[in-house]
Amino acid sequence: MVAMHRDWSPFVVSAPGKVILFGEHAVVYGKAAIAGSLDMRAYALVTPRTDGKARMVLPDIDVDVLFDSHALPRLQSTSLSHPSEVEALVPNSINIPEGPGRTAVLTLVYLYGCIFTDSDRNTGFTICVRSLLPVGAGLGSSAAFNVVLSATLLQLTGQLREEGASASDRKLINQWAFHGEQVAHGTPSGIDNSVATYGGFLKYVKGEPSVSLESSHALRVLITNTNVPKSTKALVAGVRALRDQHPSVVDGILDSIHSISTSAAALFQSTSEDEAALEQQMQDIIRINHGLLSTLGVSHKSLERVREITAARNLASKLTGAGGGGCALTLIPNGMASDDAEVVAREMEDAGFNCYQTVVGSGGVAIARNVNGSATVEQWLAEAMARHGSTPVGSDGDVYGGAVAEFAILPAAAISELRPQ
């Protein structure tokens, strides 16, 4: 494989967010959890530069950094005892910004340092990442970023044989995205980056490789962000304290949650054509799982309000993630009209929540040079800019600078046009 030293055209990399469907908290104790990919994605526009520099733009968190690529440290995965220690190797000449973008920039420095050889560093590029995932909501925004960043760097260095589509490509992307997650989170489970890489549904047990659940049963869901901040660490500690006091009782609850995850895996892989029966079973285990988690003390009045609003319309809801606030998911029956689901979403918004009607089980990482199978990314950009009344203006070393600036401010609806088909 050779790096892309010659002329190359802009491309787009995207990866989905994730939602934990079943198994929260029980997974800490070696029980199974089920996660699925969200049809809410992070999108990276990657454009060539002629000055050999590396630029990363993250408009959602106000980050715009430009590096002399030869000044970035040359690393190996064994250079550090842990990827999170990368900051110690950053030379003083490189300015790492403070604020929410700091970890993202350090992740770029680490992955670039490991993936790009000296000869690769003649390949200048700009990567501009737009995420349609809310940050800090437990929906995998960090993992989606790390997957698109890893896929971009591997693509630019010629290490992907089929532009991310093959099993070997995805394995490589997932490995590096996990290292990116280590920079951000220290000791991640690996499930978030796996979902963002492979898409679909995954069964995960701590300490074991995740298992893809081949399924044709995508789920329509309403994701509700209660906007209530939570501490995952404190919630996990609370369950541990409860288990220390009542081990046999809590272990029984955790075993029941494990059984729910196992049942859900069987439903996803079912070949039954009775969609109504499968949907009813899914609703049942969603309600039971939430009740068990509430018994463990990890629900919150905001999450119970979501459950009450949806239960009034005979919809099943549960917390997703650590609980204590954060997000809830509601299963939308296949027979329910989108307009009716929007009515429920408006009720949630009236209660002070943010709602997203989406699908669980969508595809994983994707690299595209064309949009909707026809227009090139370059053509799509020109059309999108024309629709929004902008004219691209380049600069020395970055002829696509104007296009990047426009991509940075395009509305979410326009960015969504890049969704893989």
Side-chain angles (χ1 to χ4, degrees), residues 2 57 68 81 98 115 138 160 183 195 209 228 279 397:
V2 269
V57 185
D68 179 343
S81 58
E98 298 293 338
I115 294 172
L160 300 181
V183 174
V195 171
V228 175
E279 196 171 79

Side-chain angles (χ1 to χ4, degrees), residues 326-341:
C327 289
L329 71 87
T330 302
L331 182 65
I332 302 174
N334 286 328
M336 188 175 194
S338 293
D339 287 347
D340 292 336

Side-chain angles (χ1 to χ4, degrees), residues 24-151:
E24 296 94 339
H25 289 282
V27 71
V28 176
Y29 300 92
K31 312 301 181 184
I34 306 295
S37 57
L38 285 173
D39 197 24
M40 299 162 63
R41 304 174 72 89
Y43 297 87
L45 171 66
V46 187
T47 57
R49 300 179 63 89
T50 58
D51 57 9
K53 294 183 178 181
R55 180 187 179 200
M56 182 168 72
V57 185
L58 308 176
D60 302 314
I61 54 175
D62 197 26
V63 169
D64 189 342
V65 292
L66 178 65
F67 293 125
D68 179 343
S69 55
H70 290 280
L72 291 169
R74 179 77 177 94
L75 303 173
Q76 295 180 342
S77 58
T78 55
S79 299
L80 300 165
S81 58
H82 193 277
S84 62
E85 299 171 359
V86 63
E87 190 168 3
L89 298 183
V90 177
N92 293 332
S93 59
I94 294 178
N95 180 37
I96 305 295
E98 298 293 338
R102 186 175 183 82
T103 299
V105 176
L106 286 171
T107 302
L108 170 66
V109 171
Y110 178 79
L111 293 177
Y112 186 98
C114 290
I115 294 172
F116 271 57
T117 65
D118 289 338
S119 61
D120 293 328
R121 296 180 180 225
N122 295 319
T123 302
F125 67 91
T126 296
I127 177 171
C128 179
V129 183
R130 294 289 306 278
S131 181
L132 303 189
L133 292 155
V135 176
L139 299 180
S141 60
S142 169
F145 166 77
N146 280 306
V147 168
V148 298
L149 178 59
S150 298

Side-chain angles (χ1 to χ4, degrees), residues 126-373:
T126 296
I127 177 171
C128 179
V129 183
R130 294 289 306 278
S131 181
L132 303 189
L133 292 155
V135 176
L139 299 180
S141 60
S142 169
F145 166 77
N146 280 306
V147 168
V148 298
L149 178 59
S150 298
T152 294
L153 299 180
L154 292 166
Q155 176 71 9
L156 290 173
T157 53
Q159 297 183 53
L160 300 181
R161 294 179 181 274
E162 297 181 37
E163 297 199 330
S166 68
S168 60
D169 280 0
R170 292 194 168 197
K171 181 178 180 181
L172 189 60
I173 291 168
N174 194 41
Q175 287 173 344
W176 284 111
F178 178 71
H179 288 314
E181 287 286 272
Q182 287 180 305
V183 174
H185 303 298
T187 56
S189 68
I191 192 169
D192 285 21
N193 52 277
S194 294
V195 171
T197 300
Y198 294 102
F201 300 96
L202 294 180
K203 180 180 178 181
Y204 174 79
V205 177
K206 187 177 181 181
E208 299 178 11
S210 56
V211 178
S212 177
L213 302 175
E214 299 298 330
S215 175
S216 60
H217 303 289
L219 300 180
R220 291 177 64 201
V221 298
L222 192 66
I223 300 293
T224 302
N225 185 356
T226 66
N227 298 312
V228 175
K230 86 288 187 192
S231 167
T232 299
K233 183 177 180 180
L235 289 158
V236 170
V239 173
R240 187 173 299 280
L242 187 65
R243 183 172 181 263
D244 288 343
Q245 293 175 358
H246 308 283
S248 61
V249 174
V250 172
D251 281 345
I253 295 171
L254 299 176
D255 287 340
S256 294
I257 293 175
H258 175 80
S259 295
I260 287 172
S261 295
T262 302
S263 296
L267 289 176
F268 286 127
Q269 295 181 300
S270 172
T271 58
S272 171
E273 296 183 2
D274 190 345
E275 292 288 342
L278 292 174
E279 196 171 79
Q280 183 59 57
Q281 291 178 68
M282 191 67 69
Q283 287 180 324
D284 290 342
I285 61 176
I286 285 173
R287 291 188 179 102
I288 295 169
N289 198 172
H290 180 82
L292 292 169
L293 289 168
S294 181
T295 301
L296 292 176
V298 296
S299 188
H300 184 273
K301 63 182 181 180
S302 61
L303 294 166
E304 295 305 317
R305 181 59 183 145
V306 171
R307 191 190 59 76
E308 290 168 3
I309 292 172
T310 56
R313 295 180 178 272
N314 200 31
L315 301 176
S317 299
K318 66 177 287 293
L319 66 85
T320 176
C327 289
L329 71 87
T330 302
L331 182 65
I332 302 174
N334 286 328
M336 188 175 194
S338 293
D339 287 347
D340 292 336
E342 282 299 323
V343 170
V344 180
R346 284 196 293 272
E347 285 188 54
M348 300 286 199
E349 289 164 359
D350 289 343
F353 307 141
N354 296 122
C355 289
Y356 311 90
Q357 189 176 165
T358 186
V359 174
V360 183
S362 58
V365 63
I367 299 174
R369 299 184 184 278
N370 297 90
V371 181
N372 297 327

